[in-house]
Structure formats: structure tokens, C-alpha cells
Amino acid sequence: MKIFLILFLSVFIIPIASIFIYLLSPDREVWRHLYSTVLGTYISNTIFLSASVCFVTLLLGVSLAWLISYYQFPLKKIFEWALLLPFSFPAYILAYVYYSQKDKFIDLNSYAAAIIIMSLAFYPYVYLFSKQAFSEISPSIIYASKLFHNSPLKTFWKIILPLSQPAIFSGTLLVCMEVMGDFGTVDFFSIDTLATGIYRTWFGLGSMNGAIQIVFILFSFITSAVLLDLYFKKKKRFYQNQLPYKQKIERKLTGIYGYLASIFCFIPITCAFILPVFILLYNVYQLGVKAFDKEFLEISVRSFLLSLSASVFCILLGFIFATIKKFKREKSIKIMAESISLGYAIPGSVLAITVLYTLKIFDDLFSNIYFFIFQKEYPALILSGTIFALFYAYSIKFTSVSFHSIQSSMTKISPSLFWASRILGYSTITTTFKIYFPILKNSLLISFILIFVDIIKELPATMVLRPFNFETIAIKTYNLASDERLKEASPVALLIVFLGIIPVYILSKYNLNTKKETKNAD
Amino acid sequence: MKISRRVFRNVFVSFLFTGFFASIAGASDKENVVNLYTSRHYGVDHELFQKFEKETGIKVNEIQIKEAAQLIERVKSEGKKSPADVIITVDIGNAWKAEQAELYQSISTPTLKNSVPANLIGPDQKWYALTLRGRAIVYDKTRVKENEIQNYEDLAKEQFKGRILARTSNHVYNQSLVASLLSAHGAEKTENWTKIITENLARKPEGGDIDQMKAIAQNKGDIAIVNTYYYARLLKSEDPEDQKVVKNLAIVFPNQKNRGMHINASIGGITKYAPHKENAIKFMEFMVSKKAQEILAQMNNEYPVRNDVEWTHVLKNMGKPKFDTLNLSKIGENTPKAIVILDKVGWR
């Protein structure tokens, strides 16, 4: 069993671990050059940018989630899910859209512009994770706080925030990784970060080893953040014996306060969604019907199916990884499971290359087995250049998302539930499916949205690993936009946004359903 | 609900299986196809491929990977069993990299030889240029005198301080330009030039080439370094906003009295282990045929490589430039050195 587990985990760890091989032969000359010229700028820009964006998204995301979770105000029901809409906007498209209308706004310096654009694109991570965490806090705790005459603000600071800290931190961690990994936006605003440095060192200086050395600086940042995350989770382990129930404890905001809350929610939605969609729609209107052809339809169906199936796959893996980590005692296996988190930190372009070479190993293995049985060479590659290559790359990159989200919900489930089931004679697997799966439904759904939208937007790995004649909407948009044809890119960009709305809609509908159920139960 | 679930499952499963079997079916090399790995991402290419298929019955399978370094890694990792027949890169530097990685095989046919001028063919006939575009200079006619700029070197003049616009040097077009200057002048002079240009910039680089021309129209600078086909696209555009941008602009083809304007080329070559070599040759011959070259010029405003192709109206109106073709394959070799310089002088 143990060997089987290690083999299973290895399949997903190899491409991550293989990056370390490049460190064995460092490119000293390139390193010296980078060190003496641009490396300092890369690092300081990366830290500055990610810290600023994390700060803004944290402020925005948590306060929005707090308002939505604990207050009632006009149009709240709509805001609750509409606040997630900006998810579907890739940051670089937001940058292109706003840049094309630059003359209509005040002239910002490029750092400020990049921070605003990225915060708008990424705040939903924090919002979603915080909202989810708030909903899992048992209302009885909040009632208890009320009994002590604590003000709502004090309850928030002293009880809600500490209880949801692990989840909020996980959301912010994702934002941090997104900012550090982003190439499109920072390149457009010509801010030199480690991500642009990787491109420049690899494609310009022609030094892959040098580029991977930069990846390791990124790694060390993210690893320290992940370790911090673990530390928080270890320190703050609360179990809520009572399962969260959906009885809402919302205060009604009346008069001007209600409207202020609505306006506060409306601003990010307008800036990150309504306005850019309007600009894109206007472009599409100018293009006319010729924007929608057969190819357009084909690409949209393909992208949709790809993201759907791959995200389900990643969630399943995330669940398996989280379960392994929770139930296996062996430290080595725990560490292996945890290291899938690093996948998200590897820039897609670099990940694609390590996946290429890992697939080559599997292909050679297959080819040798084939030769062994049939005594002749198998004429082609079996895994490289197929949809499986894409699935494989996505699973390495995005399993981290579901892993973290599921894990942070799992930490709140008391172990006694598990033991109760075991004492009643159910196996670990049955317990997992009967007890954990239903409780984790919400986390699973949230991971689904995150990963689905991420895969719809994913660019570098898809581009490098895809099969023949396999265009996705992200690639199509990027190609047109990078050829400075923003207008022509508008229909496809809109489609990315539109497809991203679907899972958001599903989530909101699911939430409504559970509300109805609880109402009936009452 | 149950039915929709079943339908969903069926679609999902069939989607997976199609992918799997398509990959296995794609393995058979008896099919009448040519497999193309390309860095180009223009709509016009697809139209050309369809035309090629109609004429020859050979289907073009395409994988487009924008960054040549990644494209090269993919072909390298696939090794002897790679399905790739033809590689098309943008920019000469990238063809040089593919050549260094030993991905090409030598191909020489009378048609190819007669169509492409000798200075646009790689060493040992390993690659052939398919289209060209120049790195030109545009300026505002009202603010810059007609003969003030004639060479790239002139941009380093004192009087242009704070007036030049350029995109970031992360872009291969700027890297190659500096690499071409390295060939012409050597390291010291080039570094000096790059340093002064960086000081002469009107703003920190941002946006693409068209954004630089828009910035001139908004009076943020007077001179911009741009690719010819972006300028041609604006000239041709019917969008009134584009016309407003281009109204006061004029173009200079630099270094006409000496080495000529720096060019980027799209370059095609046949891979070492091409499983459909015959088809690949037909494909390459088609790409340099008169018809294909005309379409490329017409739709993408690129310069044809053939001398006997009539230029489009817009290209003709811009004037006939002399191209810098002396050190075509030197540029790839020089690009890393160019970046070292760019990093040093701080051209972002």
C-alpha cells in the first residue's frame, strides 16, 4: 500500500522535482550578469508588487465577504455572486482593455496601474475564501459573543477573523502566487519582476538554467509563504463539534448605511467587470456578425469541455491528496502530498518543459514495454502531444488549489467524526465518501470554480503541450492581443468571461438551493 | 436531471476517448498530412493552409507555440519520434537557435532555390526565409524635420532627448535590432548608442508598437521605433481613430545609404526526422510560391521574399527600402550579448 501510494504521488511530484536537476549545473556567467544588473530590481519589484496587491485584495476581499456574510442591505443577493464575476477576467485582458481606453483616465504611473488592475482581477480569491470560512463558523459562537455585549466589530476582530484566518491566508496565498506568476500584465506595464526575468533570461539570453535559477527565488518566496500558512493552521486548530448550519445571523443595515454598503460592493464589480465588458461589447458591436464564425463555436466548445473535465480531475486529485495527508502517519508521505502545493508556483512556461521531459520518460517506458512484447518499435509518441499531456500539466499546477481549499475545510472537521464512523465498522474509504464528501461539498464547489476559470485562462502550458489543431480561447485571445489587434480579440475575450460566469452561476444556484432546504427543515 | 447527467457523462467520456484515439491515429504516417510547428500566429496563415490543402490534398496539422525556445524544447523532447515536419519561427535569431539545436535537415530543390534569394537562405540550405518585415522609425511630421533622422544611429543625437518612444526590450524585435547594431559596430559603440537611446526615451517603455504611434498622436513623444507592418496596418485601417493617429506620421527606412534597414524574417525549415518529408517540401515550395507570397503581403502587410511579386498598394506607397541582409545569421548569435547590454544600460 505504501509503495503504491509513493508511486502514485511520484507521478505528480516528478515534474516539480525535476526542476531541481537544473540547479546541478548552474549557469554561473548568466547568474553573475543578472546579479550585477537586474536581479535586484526583479526581486524588489516582485516583493513590492505582490505585497501591495495582497494588501489591497485582503482589505477588499475580507471586508466585502464580511458585509455579505453578516449584513443585509439593498441588492445584497445579487452582489453575493456578482462579486465573483471578475474571476472570469484574466488580468492581462483587463490590462489591455483599460490600456486601450487610457486617454479617458488619469495618467497613472505603471506600478499604480498594475496594482489596481491586479487587485481588481484577484480580489475574488480572498472574497471567496473568506466568505466560505465565515459561513463555516457556527452562529452559536457569534451568539455567545453577543451575550457578552461585544460590538459586531469586536466580534469580527476577536472571533470571526481568527477563526477564518487559515482560509483567508490560503486565499491571499493564491493571490500572491498569481501576482508572482503573472507575465502578461507586468510585461505590458514593463515592470520587471521575476516572472519577466524568467522569460528574458530564457528566451533572450538563451539560458534555461539561468531562468530556472530565477524560478528558485520565486520558489523560496512561495515556500516560505506556504510554510507560514502551515504554521498558522497548526497553531490555530479549532474543531467545531457542531456542524455549521445555515441559519443566518444577519443584521439589517438601514438608511444611508445600507446604500453605502451597496455602493461599496458595486465599485469593484463595475471596475472589474461591468465597464470592461461594456468596452469589449462595444468593440464586438463595431466588428459586427463576422466576429462569430464556425471556428469561434468550435473553440468555445473545446475550451469549455477541456476546462470542465480537467477541473473535475484536479478536484478529485486534490481530495485524494488532502485525504492522504490527513490520514497517513508517515512523514515522508505527508511531505510528498504537501509538495503538490509547489506546482502552482511554477510558471506555466517552465512547467510545460518539465512536463514534456517527464512525458518523454513515460513514453520511452511504454515504448520499451511494447518492444518487449511485440519485438518491434512502436512508431509514435503515445502521451506527448495529446490531451493527456494537458490534463497532466493542469493537475500538477492546479491540484494545489483544491488541495488547499479542501484541506482548510478538513482542519475544521473534528477527528471524532471520523472515529465514530470507524467504530461503527465503516472503512476509511467509506467514511471518506459518506462523511467527508458531503461536508466538503462547498469547498469542492469553490475549488471547481477556481480551477475551471484558471484552466479557461491558462496560457503557456496549454500552448506548449497541446495536440495538433487545438486552439483554446485563451490562446486565441492572447495571439490577437499580442499582435495588437484588441478589437478583433474582443469577441474571444468576452467568451472567456462568459464561460467563467457559468460556474459562478452554478455556485450561486447551489447556495440558493441549500438555503431552500434549510428553510424546509426549519 | 438523471438524463442530463448521463448525457454529460457520455460527452465527457467520448471527449477523453477521442483525444486518446486521435493521438494514436495521428501516429500513422501513411496519412496525407504535413505537421507544422509554428511561432507565427496570424489569421492569414490559416487561409494559406486551406489553399494548400485544396491544391494538393495534403492536410496541414498545426501547433502554434509563440516562444521559439519552447517550440525548440518540444521538438527536442519528442526526439526521433517527433511528428513535426516543418518548423516556422519568427525572427532570425530563433531560426539560429533551432539550427544550433540541430533540428533541421538540409533541403535543396530547384523551386526553393529559384524563389528565395541566396542571402535569405540558411547555411547548408537548412532554412528559408518566408516573409520579411523591417524595424523602421516613424515620426511626427510637424515636430521633426524631414531629413533629421536617416539612420538608427541618429536617434542617439542630443536633440532627441526625451522624445523617443519604444516598447520594452523584453520584445525580440528590439533585441534583434540591438543585435544587428552589434554586428555593424561592435560592443563598445553599441553599448554607447543603447545607453543614449535609453536616456532619450520620452517615457518608461510600455505597450506595443501601435501604442507608441498612438503616444505620438497624444504628444507624449515625437519619434517611435516600430515594425513596418504595424504602420502599414494603421495606414490601411478604415477606423477613424487609427486614421487620426497616422495622419501626421511619416516613416523613415533607416540606413538606406549604408547597410540598410534591419529586418525580421519568418523562417521555415524541414525537421531532421520529418515523417512526411515529401509533403513538407511541397509545403515549403507552396509558401514561397508567387501566390502565397502575394497573399502574405496583401493580408499581413509583410514584405515578400521573392523579387517577382508585385507589392501591395500600401507597401508601395511607403517606399521601397533597402534591407540589411549582410549578417542575417549573426543576429541570433548576438542576441544574448544584446540583452547583456540592454540590462546594463537599463532599457526596460
Side-chain angles (χ1 to χ4, degrees):
Chain A
M1 183 66 183
K2 193 182 166 188
I3 290 181
F4 173 75
L5 257 183
I6 290 180
L7 274 179
F8 170 77
L9 291 174
S10 311
V11 169
F12 299 96
I13 306 301
I14 289 172
I16 300 174
S18 62
I19 290 185
F20 288 85
I21 295 168
Y22 289 91
L23 276 193
L24 296 176
S25 50
D27 195 333
R28 293 220 168 79
E29 203 183 317
V30 164
W31 195 248
R32 214 170 292 136
H33 161 73
L34 291 174
Y35 189 81
S36 64
T37 52
V38 281
L39 196 62
T41 324
Y42 290 165
I43 293 177
S44 58
N45 277 345
T46 306
I47 293 178
F48 172 69
L49 202 63
S50 44
S52 320
V53 176
C54 281
F55 180 72
V56 179
T57 51
L58 199 62
L59 228 60
L60 199 62
V62 173
S63 54
L64 286 167
W66 184 49
L67 270 180
I68 293 286
S69 300
Y70 295 110
Y71 292 94
Q72 278 209 329
F73 48 88
L75 299 178
K76 180 198 140 155
K77 283 248 152 63
I78 294 172
F79 288 139
E80 186 168 3
W81 61 271
L83 277 166
L84 290 173
L85 289 175
F87 246 139
S88 42
F89 255 105
Y92 67 90
I93 291 185
L94 215 53
Y96 284 139
V97 169
Y98 274 120
Y99 197 83
S100 71
Q101 306 294 320
K102 200 171 177 253
D103 39 332
K104 298 184 183 73
F105 298 98
I106 29 165
D107 218 353
L108 284 172
N109 90 14
S110 55
Y111 287 94
I115 291 170
I116 292 175
I117 294 283
M118 285 180 159
S119 302
L120 284 175
F122 299 143
Y123 84 84
Y125 282 104
V126 182
Y127 167 72
L128 190 58
F129 274 70
S130 320
K131 194 164 92 68
Q132 165 66 10
F134 294 165
S135 77
E136 281 172 7
I137 294 173
S138 170
S140 54
I141 300 178
I142 293 159
Y143 280 132
S145 171
K146 248 188 188 167
L147 285 177
F148 283 103
H149 296 291
N150 282 335
S151 72
L153 206 63
K154 194 167 177 193
T155 310
F156 178 72
W157 272 115
K158 293 271 162 188
I159 294 171
I160 299 173
L161 209 55
L163 271 176
S164 39
Q165 201 178 20
I168 295 176
F169 198 88
S170 294
T172 319
L173 189 66
L174 286 177
V175 173
C176 186
M177 291 200 210
E178 286 277 358
V179 177
M180 286 188 177
D182 173 275
F183 174 79
T185 320
V186 284
D187 183 52
F188 201 73
F189 288 112
S190 68
I191 297 171
D192 296 325
T193 64
L194 290 169
T196 60
I198 291 165
Y199 264 71
R200 194 178 169 95
T201 309
W202 184 6
F203 304 140
L205 280 172
S207 167
M208 175 126 169
N209 287 29
I212 285 179
Q213 281 162 290
I214 301 181
V215 171
F216 269 89
I217 301 182
L218 254 181
F219 255 26
S220 56
F221 286 163
I222 287 168
T223 312
S224 39
V226 170
L227 287 178
L228 215 62
D229 185 31
L230 283 179
Y231 173 77
F232 275 133
K233 276 179 191 146
K234 206 168 227 167
K235 217 173 138 199
K236 314 248 175 198
R237 183 168 290 165
F238 310 102
Y239 300 114
Q240 300 187 23
N241 282 327
Q242 197 181 9
L243 281 179
Y245 60 97
K246 289 280 173 180
Q247 191 191 341
K248 288 273 176 177
I249 33 156
E250 287 166 352
R251 267 163 51 107
K252 203 169 169 144
L253 288 175
T254 44
I256 182 95
Y257 291 107
Y259 291 113
L260 278 178
S262 303
I263 291 170
F264 183 66
C265 292
F266 192 62
I267 291 171
I269 302 174
T270 315
C271 298
F273 190 79
I274 299 174
L275 204 62
V277 163
F278 179 76
I279 295 169
L280 288 175
L281 270 176
Y282 181 70
N283 286 346
V284 173
Y285 163 76
Q286 281 189 323
L287 279 176
V289 244
K290 70 176 176 184
F292 303 98
D293 51 7
K294 197 176 136 237
E295 195 204 354
F296 183 85
L297 192 76
E298 205 182 291
I299 293 175
S300 31
V301 171
R302 179 184 300 133
S303 297
F304 179 75
L305 282 179
L306 180 71
S307 308
L308 190 68
S309 44
S311 43
V312 170
F313 183 61
C314 291
I315 287 168
L316 205 67
L317 276 178
F319 183 71
I320 295 172
F321 273 70
T323 323
I324 289 175
K325 213 196 138 201
K326 192 165 169 95
F327 293 119
K328 285 292 149 193
R329 295 245 177 76
E330 292 92 339
K331 205 131 206 180
S332 57
I333 289 184
K334 270 186 195 286
I335 292 172
M336 275 182 90
E338 182 66 44
S339 46
I340 194 75
S341 311
L342 281 176
Y344 201 68
I346 304 176
S349 51
V350 176
L351 177 72
I353 302 303
T354 63
V355 165
L356 271 180
Y357 285 100
T358 317
L359 285 174
K360 165 105 178 135
I361 298 173
F362 292 138
D363 268 328
D364 285 348
L365 196 69
F366 172 81
S367 175
N368 286 339
I369 294 170
Y370 186 89
F371 188 80
F372 190 70
I373 298 169
F374 298 101
Q375 291 300 310
K376 62 175 182 192
E377 190 81 24
Y378 188 75
L381 302 162
I382 189 120
L383 290 169
S384 309
T386 66
I387 288 182
F388 284 91
L390 292 178
F391 269 62
Y392 188 39
Y394 295 152
S395 66
I396 293 159
K397 192 156 168 80
F398 298 122
T399 297
S400 161
V401 178
S402 52
F403 174 71
H404 274 279
S405 149
I406 292 167
Q407 220 195 352
S408 69
S409 288
M410 265 190 180
T411 50
K412 283 189 188 157
I413 303 174
S414 156
S416 57
L417 260 179
F418 174 75
W419 292 117
S421 166
R422 293 282 288 155
I423 287 166
L424 288 171
Y426 292 105
S427 68
T428 312
I429 293 174
T430 318
T431 309
T432 310
F433 274 92
K434 294 254 168 184
I435 311 257
Y436 278 73
F437 235 70
I439 296 177
L440 295 174
K441 235 184 196 167
N442 237 328
S443 304
L444 295 174
L445 211 67
I446 285 178
S447 327
F448 170 69
I449 296 194
L450 288 173
I451 299 175
F452 180 89
V453 173
D454 257 339
I455 294 178
I456 284 264
K457 295 190 283 194
E458 210 287 332
L459 196 66
T462 314
M463 197 176 235
V464 175
L465 295 168
R466 62 191 160 144
F468 281 113
N469 312 319
F470 194 91
E471 190 141 58
T472 65
I473 40 179
I475 292 173
K476 178 119 187 156
T477 314
Y478 176 75
N479 279 343
L480 286 168
S482 71
D483 194 31
E484 305 181 32
R485 294 176 187 270
L486 184 74
K487 251 185 201 151
E488 285 97 320
S490 299
V492 225
L494 259 181
L495 189 68
I496 295 188
V497 176
F498 177 71
L499 286 182
I501 293 175
I502 296 176
V504 172
Y505 172 75
I506 295 173
L507 181 78
S508 69
K509 195 157 180 197
Y510 166 78
N511 269 347
L512 289 177
N513 280 345
T514 51
K515 265 177 213 158
K516 260 181 223 152
E517 276 162 29
T518 44
K519 226 174 230 169
N520 290 341
D522 291 343
Chain B
M1 193 62 197
K2 256 187 189 146
I3 293 170
S4 72
R5 223 177 254 173
R6 202 183 308 148
V7 168
F8 170 74
R9 198 176 55 212
N10 286 348
V11 169
F12 177 60
V13 169
S14 60
F15 175 70
L16 279 187
F17 274 85
T18 334
F20 190 63
F21 287 111
S23 71
I24 294 177
S28 82
D29 37 28
K30 285 173 197 106
E31 258 184 305
N32 200 16
V33 297
V34 58
N35 293 332
L36 167 71
Y37 286 27
T38 175
S39 283
R40 282 170 61 93
H41 54 269
Y42 308 111
V44 54
D45 290 21
H46 290 227
E47 265 171 61
L48 279 177
F49 301 160
Q50 275 169 12
K51 227 180 177 93
F52 175 70
E53 193 179 337
K54 227 184 219 167
E55 260 176 40
T56 58
I58 301 168
K59 185 175 186 301
V60 180
N61 285 326
E62 183 203 14
I63 295 171
Q64 176 254 330
I65 301 173
K66 197 181 167 233
E67 292 298 341
Q70 292 176 325
L71 194 155
I72 290 167
E73 286 299 331
R74 172 144 177 192
V75 182
K76 253 165 65 180
S77 81
E78 289 173 341
K80 286 183 184 170
K81 286 181 184 172
S82 171
D85 293 309
V86 177
I87 297 174
I88 296 181
T89 58
V90 183
D91 207 84
I92 301 147
N94 291 325
W96 179 80
K97 282 179 203 154
E99 196 188 307
Q100 291 295 301
E102 294 180 13
L103 301 184
Y104 297 129
Q105 59 172 303
S106 299
I107 295 286
S108 183
T109 72
T111 318
L112 283 172
K113 246 176 147 174
N114 295 334
S115 311
V116 184
N119 57 11
L120 298 174
I121 300 175
D124 303 328
Q125 287 86 40
K126 283 197 169 154
W127 51 255
Y128 294 82
L130 304 175
T131 66
L132 308 172
R133 66 282 283 269
R135 196 93 184 123
I137 299 168
V138 295
Y139 61 86
D140 184 296
K141 281 183 279 195
T142 58
R143 302 191 292 253
V144 178
K145 277 182 236 121
E146 203 187 324
N147 282 323
E148 239 177 317
I149 307 165
Q150 291 187 351
N151 304 307
Y152 294 113
E153 288 78 359
D154 296 336
L155 293 175
K157 280 183 188 162
E158 180 71 37
Q159 73 238 46
F160 298 131
K161 204 167 184 80
R163 296 169 69 189
I164 298 175
L165 293 152
R167 74 194 309 170
T168 102
S169 70
N170 278 338
H171 205 282
V172 69
Y173 296 152
N174 283 342
Q175 297 168 0
S176 291
L177 174 63
V178 176
S180 83
L181 278 146
L182 267 171
S183 277
H185 299 302
E188 204 180 316
K189 266 193 179 168
T190 307
E191 188 176 330
N192 199 30
W193 179 84
T194 317
K195 196 170 167 226
I196 301 175
I197 292 284
T198 311
E199 287 162 5
N200 279 357
L201 287 181
R203 61 173 181 189
K204 207 175 137 221
E206 58 177 49
D209 276 358
I210 287 179
D211 294 314
Q212 311 311 322
M213 292 189 265
K214 282 186 183 162
I216 296 183
Q218 289 160 11
N219 210 356
K220 287 190 178 132
D222 303 331
I223 304 153
I225 307 173
V226 299
N227 263 9
T228 45
Y229 76 118
Y230 287 122
Y231 178 70
R233 190 196 293 168
L234 285 189
L235 274 184
K236 230 163 73 171
S237 169
E238 283 159 13
D239 193 325
E241 266 179 58
D242 290 343
Q243 282 305 322
K244 233 194 283 168
V245 170
V246 91
K247 194 179 73 192
N248 278 334
L249 293 184
I251 192 165
V252 191
F253 297 131
N255 301 70
Q256 294 304 295
K257 287 179 188 150
N258 41 64
R259 62 180 189 275
M261 170 164 62
H262 165 63
I263 48 169
N264 307 122
S266 290
I267 283 169
I270 295 176
T271 58
K272 208 170 174 180
Y273 304 109
H276 314 95
K277 190 176 161 186
E278 294 301 311
N279 288 354
I281 291 174
K282 279 185 201 157
F283 176 78
M284 286 289 286
E285 288 180 346
F286 171 80
M287 287 302 279
V288 296
S289 69
K290 211 170 163 182
K291 227 176 331 167
Q293 291 281 312
E294 269 165 13
I295 294 172
L296 280 167
Q298 185 80 41
M299 293 188 57
N300 215 31
N301 308 309
E302 291 174 279
Y303 293 112
V305 287
R306 290 175 75 106
N307 295 325
D308 56 351
V309 172
E310 175 107 10
W311 285 16
T312 58
H313 197 62
V314 180
L315 291 183
K316 258 196 229 160
N317 275 359
M318 280 162 58
K320 190 147 191 159
K322 176 183 157 194
F323 296 132
D324 177 8
T325 50
L326 279 174
N327 289 302
L328 218 54
S329 30
K330 239 345 219 197
I331 287 172
E333 222 178 313
N334 278 341
T335 306
K337 289 179 210 155
I339 293 194
V340 169
I341 289 177
L342 287 161
D343 279 345
K344 252 194 196 164
V345 304
W347 180 341
R348 292 284 159 248

